[in-house]
Amino acid sequence: MKQENRREEIILTAAKLFKEKGYSAVTMRDLATELGIKAASLYNHISSKQDILKSIIISLAEDFTQGMSDIKSSNESAINKLKKIVVLHVQITAQNTYGMASLNNDWMHLENQLDYYLQLRKSYERDFLEIIKTGIKNNEIIDSNPEIVMFSILSTLRSLYLWIPKKDELNREQLSIELSEVLINGINK
Amino acid sequence: MKQENRREEIILTAAKLFKEKGYSAVTMRDLATELGIKAASLYNHISSKQDILKSIIISLAEDFTQGMSDIKSSNESAINKLKKIVVLHVQITAQNTYGMASLNNDWMHLENQLDYYLQLRKSYERDFLEIIKTGIKNNEIIDSNPEIVMFSILSTLRSLYLWIPKKDELNREQLSIELSEVLINGINK
DNA sequence: TATTTTAACTAACAATTGTTAGTTTGTATG
DNA sequence: CATACAAACTAACAATTGTTAGTTAAAATA
């Protein structure tokens, strides 16, 4: 049977290089060299450079969609839903920091899957915003501009891929808790 | 005399394209087409593609350095210094959202100026962290992990370039105020 | 008016790009 | 042992890349 491990290894290595230099700046020869083989050999395992990018991004985007779906249907307060969103991001990002870099920075180089990706993202943000608006209506969340609140939280969560690798002394649970604290309760004494 | 406007126009257009696709994915022919000329004609005004990137990023980085220097030497509370940092980011970003995209995403493609850029960024973050630590010592800021606080605020501010163009109904002052509110006081009621 | 300068052009370059074709080698499987 | 297959290889391709050289037309300057 075909060794699916090798494909995974290629995609993981690609994600690592994409994080460092971005999708467009990484050549198939760069990738092959990093793996100790020749560029042409990559094509025994993947069908194109595009295919690698798609494999990295789409599965991550679907993980977020699934996570948001679970959170939406959980009968929790708005604040607790936000805390669950923080956990979701920390968890997925800690598991694949390289891939998250591509998701954040290289999504525009998706070709066939671009529309699908944008649809997932839009839907995710709509759900996120709905949670915040509900929280404001319920008097759980301070009366504020919901878009600014979402933008602020989401920007932080989307940057986690840059930060988690530098701070592995912090475990995921602890990070989620401290992050929720700062994002939700603020820093003013 | 040489028309410096044309150079500015080229750099501005380049920044716009870099924001959309990233530095590496934009060709000199793309840039020329956008300006309605041929690629070779660009070289009457700029010396290389690198030179364009450098011009975009370094001046912005120096603006931040200057801004931070002013804030550092202002005799304000830590919280007020943070508010001034928010204003600084909103102001610079609103003035040049395209350039801020390059600053955030394409800095690694600086070659000769990479070390200089990294030095400016490191110094900026050191000053930022110092303000937070002082605020915690002064009992102005909740006792928390200073790096998480900085990471959270800075991630949001660094993403402003994505968000400001979509929300021009919000003026800069108003945005700074609402953002400070959310970032500093939190959202929990 | 004569001259210089600006800013465009055409043509071309050497290098690099993603990818394909065809081949070889080692390792399981029958 | 014979066969099949996975996974590497070499060689090459057509297209695209940033950039240079040399030219031209219009505008500014003397």
Side-chain angles (χ1 to χ4, degrees), chain A residues 121-138:
Chain A
R121 191 175 69 176
K122 193 167 201 168
S123 164
Y124 186 85
E125 293 182 3
R126 200 164 27 227
D127 291 341
F128 200 141
L129 200 60
E130 205 45 56
I131 292 173
I132 293 168
K133 284 180 177 168
T134 304
I136 294 175
K137 274 191 204 118
N138 290 350

mmCIF file of all heavy atoms in Angstrom, chain A residues 121-138:
data_model
loop_
_atom_site.group_PDB
_atom_site.id
_atom_site.type_symbol
_atom_site.label_atom_id
_atom_site.label_comp_id
_atom_site.label_asym_id
_atom_site.label_seq_id
_atom_site.Cartn_x
_atom_site.Cartn_y
_atom_site.Cartn_z
ATOM 1 N N ARG A 121 -14.989 30.817 6.369
ATOM 2 C CA ARG A 121 -14.541 31.901 7.242
ATOM 3 C C ARG A 121 -15.672 32.869 7.558
ATOM 4 O O ARG A 121 -15.851 33.290 8.697
ATOM 5 C CB ARG A 121 -13.371 32.646 6.596
ATOM 6 C CG ARG A 121 -12.697 33.608 7.557
ATOM 7 C CD ARG A 121 -11.477 34.257 6.954
ATOM 8 N NE ARG A 121 -11.808 35.186 5.896
ATOM 9 C CZ ARG A 121 -10.904 35.950 5.253
ATOM 10 N NH1 ARG A 121 -9.618 35.839 5.573
ATOM 11 N NH2 ARG A 121 -11.264 36.775 4.310
ATOM 12 N N LYS A 122 -16.418 33.203 6.517
ATOM 13 C CA LYS A 122 -17.529 34.125 6.703
ATOM 14 C C LYS A 122 -18.533 33.565 7.701
ATOM 15 O O LYS A 122 -19.019 34.272 8.592
ATOM 16 C CB LYS A 122 -18.215 34.362 5.357
ATOM 17 C CG LYS A 122 -19.186 35.526 5.339
ATOM 18 C CD LYS A 122 -19.571 35.874 3.886
ATOM 19 C CE LYS A 122 -20.088 37.296 3.781
ATOM 20 N NZ LYS A 122 -20.185 37.736 2.365
ATOM 21 N N SER A 123 -18.822 32.318 7.532
ATOM 22 C CA SER A 123 -19.789 31.660 8.410
ATOM 23 C C SER A 123 -19.279 31.626 9.851
ATOM 24 O O SER A 123 -20.042 31.842 10.801
ATOM 25 C CB SER A 123 -20.048 30.249 7.882
ATOM 26 O OG SER A 123 -20.658 29.460 8.859
ATOM 27 N N TYR A 124 -17.989 31.354 9.995
ATOM 28 C CA TYR A 124 -17.381 31.341 11.334
ATOM 29 C C TYR A 124 -17.525 32.703 12.006
ATOM 30 O O TYR A 124 -17.933 32.806 13.165
ATOM 31 C CB TYR A 124 -15.903 30.970 11.224
ATOM 32 C CG TYR A 124 -15.215 30.780 12.550
ATOM 33 C CD1 TYR A 124 -15.256 29.566 13.219
ATOM 34 C CD2 TYR A 124 -14.513 31.829 13.150
ATOM 35 C CE1 TYR A 124 -14.616 29.387 14.440
ATOM 36 C CE2 TYR A 124 -13.876 31.660 14.361
ATOM 37 C CZ TYR A 124 -13.929 30.437 15.001
ATOM 38 O OH TYR A 124 -13.300 30.268 16.210
ATOM 39 N N GLU A 125 -17.233 33.746 11.268
ATOM 40 C CA GLU A 125 -17.296 35.090 11.840
ATOM 41 C C GLU A 125 -18.730 35.510 12.143
ATOM 42 O O GLU A 125 -18.985 36.224 13.118
ATOM 43 C CB GLU A 125 -16.623 36.092 10.897
ATOM 44 C CG GLU A 125 -15.109 35.856 10.797
ATOM 45 C CD GLU A 125 -14.396 36.868 9.908
ATOM 46 O OE1 GLU A 125 -15.048 37.793 9.397
ATOM 47 O OE2 GLU A 125 -13.165 36.704 9.723
ATOM 48 N N ARG A 126 -19.653 35.040 11.331
ATOM 49 C CA ARG A 126 -21.058 35.352 11.584
ATOM 50 C C ARG A 126 -21.508 34.732 12.910
ATOM 51 O O ARG A 126 -22.162 35.374 13.721
ATOM 52 C CB ARG A 126 -21.920 34.831 10.421
ATOM 53 C CG ARG A 126 -23.273 35.483 10.310
ATOM 54 C CD ARG A 126 -23.932 35.242 8.946
ATOM 55 N NE ARG A 126 -23.499 34.011 8.307
ATOM 56 C CZ ARG A 126 -23.127 33.915 7.020
ATOM 57 N NH1 ARG A 126 -23.163 34.972 6.246
ATOM 58 N NH2 ARG A 126 -22.751 32.769 6.505
ATOM 59 N N ASP A 127 -21.121 33.475 13.112
ATOM 60 C CA ASP A 127 -21.476 32.799 14.362
ATOM 61 C C ASP A 127 -20.833 33.483 15.572
ATOM 62 O O ASP A 127 -21.458 33.641 16.628
ATOM 63 C CB ASP A 127 -21.028 31.329 14.324
ATOM 64 C CG ASP A 127 -21.844 30.510 13.329
ATOM 65 O OD1 ASP A 127 -22.952 30.966 12.955
ATOM 66 O OD2 ASP A 127 -21.377 29.429 12.929
ATOM 67 N N PHE A 128 -19.579 33.851 15.390
ATOM 68 C CA PHE A 128 -18.830 34.524 16.454
ATOM 69 C C PHE A 128 -19.547 35.812 16.848
ATOM 70 O O PHE A 128 -19.819 36.073 18.039
ATOM 71 C CB PHE A 128 -17.419 34.835 15.939
ATOM 72 C CG PHE A 128 -16.389 35.092 17.006
ATOM 73 C CD1 PHE A 128 -15.098 34.605 16.865
ATOM 74 C CD2 PHE A 128 -16.678 35.832 18.142
ATOM 75 C CE1 PHE A 128 -14.123 34.837 17.839
ATOM 76 C CE2 PHE A 128 -15.717 36.077 19.115
ATOM 77 C CZ PHE A 128 -14.438 35.576 18.957
ATOM 78 N N LEU A 129 -19.870 36.592 15.838
ATOM 79 C CA LEU A 129 -20.527 37.882 16.082
ATOM 80 C C LEU A 129 -21.876 37.691 16.774
ATOM 81 O O LEU A 129 -22.259 38.469 17.660
ATOM 82 C CB LEU A 129 -20.710 38.608 14.745
ATOM 83 C CG LEU A 129 -20.935 40.118 14.797
ATOM 84 C CD1 LEU A 129 -19.761 40.813 15.466
ATOM 85 C CD2 LEU A 129 -21.106 40.676 13.378
ATOM 86 N N GLU A 130 -22.587 36.652 16.380
ATOM 87 C CA GLU A 130 -23.908 36.372 16.958
ATOM 88 C C GLU A 130 -23.801 36.092 18.460
ATOM 89 O O GLU A 130 -24.636 36.542 19.255
ATOM 90 C CB GLU A 130 -24.549 35.187 16.222
ATOM 91 C CG GLU A 130 -26.051 35.158 16.265
ATOM 92 C CD GLU A 130 -26.667 36.534 15.982
ATOM 93 O OE1 GLU A 130 -26.385 37.150 14.936
ATOM 94 O OE2 GLU A 130 -27.427 36.995 16.855
ATOM 95 N N ILE A 131 -22.756 35.361 18.833
ATOM 96 C CA ILE A 131 -22.537 35.075 20.252
ATOM 97 C C ILE A 131 -22.326 36.368 21.030
ATOM 98 O O ILE A 131 -22.897 36.562 22.113
ATOM 99 C CB ILE A 131 -21.313 34.139 20.425
ATOM 100 C CG1 ILE A 131 -21.637 32.751 19.848
ATOM 101 C CG2 ILE A 131 -20.911 34.024 21.888
ATOM 102 C CD1 ILE A 131 -20.456 31.788 19.813
ATOM 103 N N ILE A 132 -21.535 37.251 20.474
ATOM 104 C CA ILE A 132 -21.266 38.520 21.160
ATOM 105 C C ILE A 132 -22.531 39.360 21.266
ATOM 106 O O ILE A 132 -22.850 39.912 22.329
ATOM 107 C CB ILE A 132 -20.159 39.302 20.425
ATOM 108 C CG1 ILE A 132 -18.832 38.555 20.548
ATOM 109 C CG2 ILE A 132 -20.020 40.705 20.996
ATOM 110 C CD1 ILE A 132 -17.751 39.071 19.626
ATOM 111 N N LYS A 133 -23.278 39.433 20.180
ATOM 112 C CA LYS A 133 -24.504 40.238 20.200
ATOM 113 C C LYS A 133 -25.497 39.699 21.223
ATOM 114 O O LYS A 133 -26.150 40.468 21.948
ATOM 115 C CB LYS A 133 -25.146 40.254 18.807
ATOM 116 C CG LYS A 133 -24.437 41.173 17.823
ATOM 117 C CD LYS A 133 -25.134 41.152 16.457
ATOM 118 C CE LYS A 133 -24.462 42.121 15.489
ATOM 119 N NZ LYS A 133 -24.933 41.903 14.085
ATOM 120 N N THR A 134 -25.617 38.395 21.270
ATOM 121 C CA THR A 134 -26.504 37.778 22.255
ATOM 122 C C THR A 134 -26.033 38.110 23.676
ATOM 123 O O THR A 134 -26.846 38.435 24.552
ATOM 124 C CB THR A 134 -26.532 36.245 22.068
ATOM 125 O OG1 THR A 134 -26.927 35.962 20.730
ATOM 126 C CG2 THR A 134 -27.491 35.591 23.036
ATOM 127 N N GLY A 135 -24.732 38.049 23.889
ATOM 128 C CA GLY A 135 -24.163 38.381 25.193
ATOM 129 C C GLY A 135 -24.467 39.806 25.610
ATOM 130 O O GLY A 135 -24.698 40.087 26.791
ATOM 131 N N ILE A 136 -24.442 40.701 24.663
ATOM 132 C CA ILE A 136 -24.753 42.109 24.974
ATOM 133 C C ILE A 136 -26.236 42.251 25.328
ATOM 134 O O ILE A 136 -26.592 42.913 26.311
ATOM 135 C CB ILE A 136 -24.375 43.024 23.780
ATOM 136 C CG1 ILE A 136 -22.849 43.022 23.590
ATOM 137 C CG2 ILE A 136 -24.880 44.437 24.014
ATOM 138 C CD1 ILE A 136 -22.357 43.785 22.373
ATOM 139 N N LYS A 137 -27.088 41.612 24.544
ATOM 140 C CA LYS A 137 -28.542 41.661 24.813
ATOM 141 C C LYS A 137 -28.852 41.095 26.188
ATOM 142 O O LYS A 137 -29.691 41.610 26.920
ATOM 143 C CB LYS A 137 -29.287 40.866 23.734
ATOM 144 C CG LYS A 137 -29.618 41.674 22.489
ATOM 145 C CD LYS A 137 -30.592 40.929 21.579
ATOM 146 C CE LYS A 137 -30.468 41.409 20.126
ATOM 147 N NZ LYS A 137 -30.053 40.347 19.192
ATOM 148 N N ASN A 138 -28.175 40.010 26.545
ATOM 149 C CA ASN A 138 -28.387 39.336 27.840
ATOM 150 C C ASN A 138 -27.783 40.076 29.017
ATOM 151 O O ASN A 138 -27.813 39.547 30.143
ATOM 152 C CB ASN A 138 -27.717 37.954 27.823
ATOM 153 C CG ASN A 138 -28.427 36.999 26.920
ATOM 154 O OD1 ASN A 138 -29.519 37.288 26.450
ATOM 155 N ND2 ASN A 138 -27.806 35.847 26.681
#
